[in-house]
Amino acid sequence: MAKALGIGIIGAGNISTTYLRLAPLFKGIEIRAIADISKAAATGRASEYSVEARSIDGLLASDDIDLVVNLTVPDAHFDVSKQILSAGKHLYSEKPLTLSLKDGLELQKLAAKKGLKAGCAPDTYLGGAHQLARKLVDDGQVGTITSGTAHVMSHGMEHWHPNPDFFFRPGGGPILDLGPYYIANLINLIGPIRRVAALTSMATPTRTISSEPRKGETIKVTTPTTIQALLEFESGASVTLSASWDVWAHHHPNMELYGTDGSLFLPDPNFFGGEVKLAKPGKKAKPVKAWAHPFGTPNQKHAAGLMANYRTAGLADMAVAILQGRDIRCSLERALHGVDVMISILRSGEEKKFIDIKTSCTRPEALGIKEAKSLLKKN
């Protein structure tokens, strides 16, 4: 049995630097080549990280590539992912998996037909903080989860991203861009979702870019930028999710879960680390003692200080799962359920009614300290 899968990347944009920089931390994966529709972009990134630059067709035909990571823009995800699977390669996609349930189901059918595996980000719920929360839930520290709240709100991406256009087109927006982190973590903690309802809107029809190099340009907004959603889980729990790029400031916490025996307070699911708090009946919330989970250890400087960043953990888990013949935590089935939920939220906003979710999935297997260490080259 091979010790690692040969990895190719399609898409040499901003996110590719994260994969290329962090992949060497993990077992099971060796990034060997990168391709992009822009030959110059692929060549530049390949030179920066000492991998090969290949054409897209060349990469897909390469015998040394077992699994291809799709890092293209969201509205290209389906076409590129289909191309990857059709070429006989395992697939790992950045989020969202697709922009429609129909396309996601087609990828699922194609992967099954080809005997291939497919996975999808986000993998941040594998972080030390969120897996600590998972352990508390599994250990019964909050009893049965009955409800909760989640908030992801800011004033958008045009203030920092060099090319923010796609964030404000169909396929972008706060639900499809940031919602995957929150929904994946809710599935991790509570399980699959039964139905959703939502109100959606946009504050302005245009946005003015304030970041370089396109400062001052105006872009059209063609997708909702404020979404107030209600999620009903198969377990009976209900969670409100507020996602907006029309908010300058707020004091809402990222995520709170309320159970029959206590309340759980979680950090931002967009990140791996952070503080988890627990409130028992009649008591104030107190920080839970941090555990020695490797994916909660700060390893990167951030504007707000040191942070834990282990993106690529989901890819590594998928590769090791393929080699060992076990379940993939960031599986296509869970990503597909997430797409179903997000698309249904947007549809509910248009149709003004509850939408039943057509898909389901299981909770992923927890990733404890021992399991996380087993994915790292040094532990």
Side-chain angles (χ1 to χ4, degrees):
M1 181 183 295
K3 292 184 178 180
L5 298 185
I7 307 297
I9 292 175
I10 296 179
N14 284 345
I15 189 63
S16 68
T17 61
T18 299
Y19 281 81
L20 288 159
R21 180 170 56 83
L22 294 174
L25 295 175
F26 296 94
K27 296 177 182 176
I29 53 175
E30 293 179 1
I31 296 183
R32 294 172 179 166
I34 186 168
D36 193 279
I37 194 170
S38 165
K39 183 178 179 180
T43 300
R45 199 67 82 202
S47 176
E48 187 178 359
Y49 289 94
S50 300
V51 298
E52 287 188 27
R54 300 178 189 172
S55 67
I56 293 174
D57 288 342
L59 185 148
L60 292 175
S62 298
D63 291 336
D64 65 338
I65 301 298
D66 305 297
L67 188 158
V68 178
V69 183
N70 182 356
L71 301 184
T72 59
V73 294
D75 58 6
H77 280 184
F78 170 68
D79 289 336
V80 174
S81 291
K82 185 176 180 180
Q83 191 177 2
I84 291 167
L85 291 170
S86 296
K89 308 297 185 184
H90 300 298
L91 163 71
Y92 187 84
S93 175
E94 250 305 322
K95 51 80 189 170
L97 176 68
T98 56
L99 302 184
S100 74
L101 178 59
K102 176 179 176 292
D103 286 347
L105 290 169
E106 184 174 339
L107 291 182
Q108 184 181 49
K109 183 178 180 179
L110 179 59
K113 179 181 178 180
K114 290 278 190 176
L116 297 167
K117 299 296 184 181
C120 185
D123 57 3
T124 46
Y125 76 86
L126 300 177
H130 307 296
Q131 288 300 311
L132 175 57
R134 169 68 182 263
K135 186 176 189 304
L136 293 170
V137 170
D138 290 351
D139 288 349
Q141 289 295 312
V142 294
T144 300
I145 295 174
T146 59
S147 61
T149 63
H151 297 87
V152 53
M153 300 188 293
S154 69
H155 211 265
M157 313 299 197
E158 73 273 29
H159 309 295
W160 64 269
H161 199 282
N163 293 294
D165 309 61
F166 72 91
F167 288 111
F168 298 99
R169 298 197 300 253
I175 278 293
L176 284 169
D177 183 62
L178 295 173
Y181 300 103
Y182 285 72
I183 292 168
N185 201 26
L186 288 169
I187 292 170
N188 166 53
L189 295 167
I190 307 175
I193 296 157
R194 177 185 294 133
R195 63 174 182 160
V196 300
L199 296 174
T200 61
S201 64
M202 62 181 72
T204 57
T206 62
R207 296 275 179 139
T208 300
I209 300 175
S210 58
S211 59
E212 298 294 349
R214 297 171 57 199
K215 186 175 181 178
E217 286 188 33
T218 299
I219 55 177
K220 290 184 178 181
V221 179
T222 55
T223 194
T225 49
T226 290
I227 297 95
Q228 308 289 351
L230 178 63
L231 285 60
E232 181 183 58
F233 288 75
E234 290 183 11
S235 68
S238 60
V239 172
T240 58
L241 170 62
S242 298
S244 179
W245 286 340
D246 297 321
V247 175
W248 286 109
H250 68 91
H251 286 286
H252 290 293
N254 295 109
M255 186 177 288
E256 298 184 353
L257 297 178
Y258 314 124
T260 54
D261 295 325
S263 296
L264 195 58
F265 305 83
L266 289 84
D268 190 346
N270 194 4
F271 299 97
F272 284 75
E275 185 178 64
V276 177
K277 292 183 178 181
L278 175 66
K280 299 298 285 184
K283 305 292 184 180
K284 291 183 178 180
K286 293 183 179 180
V288 178
K289 183 179 179 181
W291 62 341
H293 197 288
F295 297 164
T297 304
N299 64 337
Q300 180 177 315
K301 290 183 179 180
H302 190 263
L306 288 176
M307 62 175 287
N309 184 4
Y310 295 89
R311 293 177 196 253
T312 309
L315 172 63
D317 176 75
M318 176 179 173
V320 172
I322 291 171
L323 293 170
Q324 295 179 348
R326 61 166 173 80
D327 183 52
I328 297 165
R329 288 181 171 87
C330 297
S331 67
L332 183 147
E333 288 75 19
R334 296 180 186 109
L336 184 61
H337 184 59
V339 168
D340 194 0
V341 170
M342 291 184 290
I343 295 300
S344 295
I345 286 172
L346 295 174
R347 181 181 156 202
S348 174
E350 294 176 356
E351 300 182 7
K352 312 299 183 187
K353 65 179 184 181
F354 271 94
I355 303 294
D356 292 329
I357 305 303
K358 296 179 180 179
T359 61
S360 187
C361 65
T362 59
R363 294 167 76 204
E365 184 179 352
L367 186 76
I369 293 173
K370 180 180 179 181
E371 292 81 6
K373 284 185 175 180
S374 72
L375 296 177
L376 294 169
K377 287 182 178 177
K378 295 181 180 179
N379 54 56

